[in-house]
Amino acid sequence: MQNNLLASLKEHQNKLLTTWSQLLQANGSTDGATEEEESKEFAALLLDALHYSNGNTDSDELEKVHDLLIGISSSRGRRGFSPRENAQYLIAFKEAASKILSEVESDPSKLYTANLQLSTILDNMAILTFESYMKGREDVISRQIDEISEISTPVIRVWDGVVALPIIGTLDSSRTQVVMENLLQQIVDTGSSIAILDISGVPAVDSLVAQHLIKTVSATRLMGAECIISGIRPEIAQTVVHLGIDLTGIITKASLASALQTAFDMLQLTVVKRK
Amino acid sequence: MTTATSKEELLIVKEQDVVPLRNRVKEYGVKIGMSILNQTKLITATSELVRNLLKYGGGGKVIIESVSNGRDQGVRVTFIDNGPGIKDISLAMKDGYSTGKSLGLGLPGTKRLVNEFDIQTELGNGTTVTIIKWKNG
Ligand SMILES: Nc1ncnc2c1ncn2[C@@H]1O[C@H](COP(=O)(O)OP(=O)(O)OP(=O)(O)O)[C@@H](O)[C@H]1O
Ligand SMILES: [Mg+2]
């Protein structure tokens, strides 16, 4: 008996849509035609669900509304709505529905029960939109992480037999792994005998980064190639010394240019100026 | 007397927290006009201590402060964990001592990079390391 109230909202569908869109407009969180279509579909489906689910707050009908809502909120996300505006979308619906309920029912206790059910259902939906919004963002972030770690470790063939790898950003353990694998693979693929690791773009060399560099150099040597580390800025050199890291045994150069010069020397090549 | 002018606290629980912390510490250095060399020393020291806090202390919190002693301005960073503590500090402060199969340079190296270094530890109760890098230090 008490459920008839929510079910009866279906009879006031048009009025509800009008009130809802007025509220959304008042909040300034609407973008016109696309939204109107979505809202119509959402309201129709939800009101149907309320009609058939008999006050049950997790019926199969409501599941269908959830699916639609997830689609709507990710589409709204792509259209540039903020999470706040997304939340307002449902809150405004609740407000509109609640307003209509109080117009058609005057018994406070029936009204109370109906509003409570309405709240439960719509609050659940609000959580859902929030989750799907977050999930959308997380997908983007994890895709970007993959992309960054790929684009940030290019191995460049600078000369016959010489490959260079500029490192930009922080060298943590997982990044080092990618760098090392890339470098070793390129040494094999290009048949290079010299690898230059340029660290101009690394903000700080602490003992962990140093250890990673030392490991990379050792691995390169095991493959029968020599590794030169270039791009050691003055402040990095001094800090490394104070820290007590021993980089003797490793060929280090201030710039990529001087590393290349050293590589030429090792390959017994000379660059001469044409007269 | 050293007084703090601005202060903030950051929770450190995972490796991904290291870079944002370092950037924040660097901003404090830049704000008081610290040289690139001193900035680099400060963020390298920060890097070492925050890695220890994660690796041995199981995470914790870091407080960054802008400090002044009347003559000079500086940045103070405090690393607090509730980990197992350090059994023998003088051993841990030795170059090359590591229980983590590492270089064993973090603590002694950090001490050389900063102007003030203090370590308090209690077995079973955690470790607190405080460093200060002065602008002209
Ligand atoms: N916050 C901490 N809690 C517990 N033990 C610690 C803590 N920090 C350091 N230690 C102990 O002190 C030792 C020395 O630390 P230190 O940072 O000098 O070297 P490391 O971390 O082992 O190697 P590195 O820093 O060179 O990679 C560590 O191996 C560990 O046993
Ligand atoms: Mg350490």
Side-chain angles (χ1 to χ4, degrees):
Chain A
M1 197 48 200
Q2 49 167 269
N3 312 320
N4 283 348
L5 207 44
L6 279 190
S8 71
L9 274 175
K10 190 167 151 59
E11 294 155 28
H12 307 276
Q13 186 162 330
N14 283 336
K15 192 165 176 205
L16 197 147
L17 270 174
T18 320
T19 320
W20 186 19
S21 78
Q22 276 166 357
L23 281 168
L24 285 175
Q25 245 150 31
N27 285 333
S29 56
T30 178
D31 67 353
T34 324
E35 175 159 85
E36 212 169 289
E37 276 303 302
E38 275 176 358
S39 301
K40 245 187 209 150
E41 198 185 346
F42 171 73
L45 202 62
L46 176 58
L47 296 180
D48 265 350
L50 291 176
H51 190 72
Y52 295 118
S53 60
N54 259 340
N56 190 346
T57 51
D58 49 23
S59 65
D60 287 348
E61 278 82 12
L62 283 173
E63 276 303 308
K64 274 186 233 150
V65 186
H66 286 176
D67 291 344
L68 176 69
L69 193 59
I70 288 172
I72 291 181
S73 65
S74 63
S75 139
R76 286 172 68 86
R78 279 195 300 275
R79 266 149 54 210
F81 283 105
S82 68
R84 182 199 184 86
E85 287 168 331
N86 247 358
Q88 268 169 351
Y89 186 70
L90 283 177
I91 291 171
F93 181 89
K94 190 158 98 179
E95 216 177 309
S98 178
K99 212 163 157 186
I100 288 172
L101 285 176
S102 50
E103 280 168 19
V104 299
E105 180 59 67
S106 54
D107 179 351
S109 85
K110 280 186 189 161
L111 208 51
Y112 176 76
T113 318
N115 269 314
L116 212 60
Q117 285 173 345
L118 185 69
S119 276
T120 311
I121 292 167
L122 282 166
D123 288 354
N124 259 331
M125 290 182 177
I127 292 170
L128 209 71
T129 55
F130 191 67
E131 274 174 356
S132 67
Y133 185 86
M134 287 299 287
K135 198 170 167 305
R137 302 292 272 217
E138 270 159 25
D139 288 349
V140 172
I141 292 171
S142 74
R143 212 177 43 240
Q144 283 173 342
I145 289 175
D146 290 348
E147 278 168 17
I148 289 169
S149 67
E150 258 176 44
I151 56 170
S152 57
T153 53
V155 181
I156 305 159
R157 208 171 151 191
V158 285
W159 202 263
D160 206 19
V162 185
V163 287
L165 197 155
I167 302 171
I168 292 159
T170 309
L171 255 190
D172 56 18
S173 304
S174 57
R175 187 97 191 281
T176 310
Q177 197 57 38
V178 179
V179 167
M180 207 179 326
E181 275 167 20
N182 260 351
L183 186 65
L184 298 182
Q185 192 56 49
Q186 286 296 320
I187 289 174
V188 175
D189 292 352
T190 60
S192 293
S193 57
I194 298 171
I196 303 172
L197 218 56
D198 188 83
I199 59 165
S200 312
V202 176
V205 176
D206 58 14
S207 63
L208 188 74
V209 173
Q211 235 180 335
H212 287 329
L213 289 175
I214 293 169
K215 269 190 204 144
T216 308
V217 172
S218 315
T220 318
R221 283 184 182 155
L222 275 178
M223 311 255 321
E226 187 50 84
C227 190
I228 305 170
I229 295 183
S230 71
I232 304 194
R233 299 189 300 275
E235 65 273 15
I236 300 274
Q238 290 189 59
T239 305
V240 163
V241 169
H242 273 96
L243 206 51
I245 295 165
D246 183 12
L247 291 183
T248 52
I250 293 180
I251 309 170
T252 53
K253 294 286 159 195
S255 66
L256 186 60
S258 57
L260 196 55
Q261 184 60 57
T262 307
F264 284 160
D265 289 346
M266 288 167 146
L267 295 172
Q268 298 181 329
L269 295 170
T270 37
V271 180
V272 287
K273 189 170 183 179
R274 237 179 333 144
K275 277 241 189 78
Chain B
M1 237 261 297
T2 303
T3 50
T5 49
S6 63
K7 172 176 174 168
E8 77 181 83
E9 199 176 297
L10 289 152
L11 276 184
I12 305 292
V13 291
K14 52 185 186 309
E15 166 122 17
Q16 284 84 338
D17 298 332
V18 172
V19 173
L21 168 75
R22 240 167 40 185
N23 291 342
R24 207 73 192 103
V25 169
K26 187 186 164 112
E27 281 168 28
Y28 271 71
V30 170
K31 209 160 57 189
I32 59 168
M34 198 179 258
S35 68
I36 295 281
L37 175 59
N38 280 350
Q39 277 177 39
T40 306
K41 287 181 175 176
L42 174 64
I43 59 167
T44 306
T46 300
S47 208
E48 292 295 340
L49 294 175
V50 76
R51 285 195 203 288
N52 280 355
L53 172 137
L54 276 171
K55 185 171 173 186
Y56 305 110
K61 65 176 177 185
V62 175
I63 300 168
I64 317 169
E65 289 164 294
S66 217
V67 292
S68 158
N69 65 357
R71 276 169 288 118
D72 205 356
Q73 282 178 293
V75 180
R76 176 163 64 198
V77 193
T78 309
F79 303 80
I80 305 166
D81 70 60
N82 296 312
I86 302 172
K87 212 186 280 167
D88 187 340
I89 293 194
S90 56
L91 205 54
M93 290 302 298
K94 277 211 176 79
D95 278 322
Y97 175 80
S98 171
T99 59
K101 294 200 193 102
S102 199
L103 298 176
L105 292 173
L107 289 177
T110 297
K111 192 172 177 187
R112 289 188 289 263
L113 290 174
V114 298
N115 304 114
E116 288 174 41
F117 181 96
D118 177 69
I119 181 163
Q120 303 290 333
T121 181
E122 201 183 317
L123 271 186
N125 261 330
T127 305
T128 298
V129 184
T130 308
I131 55 171
I132 297 181
K133 185 79 197 165
W134 296 112
K135 180 181 162 187
N136 300 308

